Amino acid sequence: MKKYIDTGKKDTRSGFGAGLTELAKTNENVVALCADLIGSLKMEGFIEHSPERFFQTGIAEANMIGMAAGLTVGGKIPFAGTFANFATGRVYDQIRQSVAYSEKNVKICASHAGLTLGEDGATHQILEDIGLMKMLPGMVVINPCDFNQTKAATLAIAEYEGPVYLRFGRPKVANFTPENGEFVIGKAVMLSEGTDVTIVATGHCVWEALLAAEKLEAKGISAEVINIHTIKPLDEEAILKSIAKTGCIVTCEEHNYLGGLGESVARVLSLNNPTPQEYVATKDTFGESGTATELMAKYELDAPAIEKAAEKVLARKK
């Protein structure tokens, strides 16, 4: 399998900050809004370059979304940032009515998603946000895997006309995708070709999938690893092409198995080519306080869990 190198651990939220700072310099229509979490969203660079294009809304997320929707009427491209829990659950009504239904060009930028938020615990660890957002008509849902890809995604969504949910995280994780790589919305990335089992992963689980594939290779199992950075629109062609070769699939996500990437893949399979599938995801549960590494292990989202799921689905295929 193709080998990937961690060039140095970085947090994906800093990838967002780097992309937003670049947009401050290159796209005068981009404006930024934040609900009192400038440091957490890494927005300092944007503010330093373009303070007149930044709006601090305070802890008033519903107002922030309404302001963002209004700014699009004047041709602005608003990037509204806060924690994922507040960016979706707290303001779902405003997103549904003022952004999705109204087809406004708002970019909802959500940091601290999933279990890897860590010690802040269950009240902040939203594991339902992908499901909430992908069900909104017209909403694009993006969950990049590392610093480089998050920066690239941030730049790409500024060029896309329409509402976008961009999800990223708090901890420092492996940074392994190419610097300044191309980001195509809705186009999966083949990371490593294989013949025995397909592993599709999103977000922080992508690196874990690559680690699992190395362990499987040592056991004589050839795993095909695909990075699904865009959950909606889903690259159905890439998934179907892969499972036509391997005959089984594992889906991996830092999200509830109800409503996430796994269910989107299951729909594609059921309609086109029913195939054995195993889910690596949280099992209809809330999280708890702990380090990111501890929680990924306890909730079975890490490389050993992916390896185990691959072996299980292979046994089902036989």
Side-chain angles (χ1 to χ4, degrees), residues 168-301:
F168 43 94
R170 176 188 189 182
K172 291 183 178 181
V173 295
N175 189 39
F176 61 95
T177 64
E179 186 177 3
N180 301 318
E182 182 183 23
F183 188 94
V184 181
I185 295 172
K187 185 67 174 176
V189 179
M190 175 69 71
L191 294 178
S192 183
E193 294 192 22
T195 56
D196 295 327
V197 58
T198 298
I199 302 176
V200 298
T202 188
H204 294 152
C205 287
V206 176
W207 179 250
E208 298 296 324
L210 289 170
L211 296 178
E214 288 186 6
K215 294 291 187 181
L216 291 166
E217 184 181 45
K219 298 178 179 180
I221 298 170
S222 174
E224 183 149 291
V225 181
I226 302 174
N227 174 7
I228 303 288
H229 55 65
T230 306
I231 295 170
K232 181 187 176 187
L234 186 66
D235 191 344
E236 299 183 7
E237 181 181 356
I239 293 167
L240 292 171
K241 182 178 179 181
S242 182
I243 59 101
K245 176 171 51 173
T246 65
C248 61
I249 190 168
V250 176
T251 55
C252 313
E253 59 194 309
E254 190 186 343
H255 187 271
N256 193 348
Y257 73 152
L258 299 172
L261 169 64
E263 282 206 345
S264 290
V265 171
R267 178 189 60 80
V268 173
L269 299 180
S270 68
L271 291 173
N272 295 277
N273 187 359
T275 303
Q277 175 182 354
E278 288 294 327
Y279 294 75
V280 172
T282 59
K283 310 299 193 292
D284 194 25
T285 182
F286 292 102
E288 61 184 295
S289 181
T291 68
T293 301
E294 289 170 342
L295 293 168
M296 290 286 278
K298 177 172 182 177
Y299 289 83
E300 298 183 308
L301 305 179

Side-chain angles (χ1 to χ4, degrees), residues 19 22 108 152 156 170:
E22 186 169 324
I108 301 163
R170 176 188 189 182

Side-chain angles (χ1 to χ4, degrees), residues 57-80:
T57 69
I59 306 174
E61 293 85 357
N63 288 343
M64 179 178 70
I65 294 299
M67 288 170 62
L71 284 163
T72 66
V73 176
K76 300 302 180 184
I77 306 170
F79 281 63

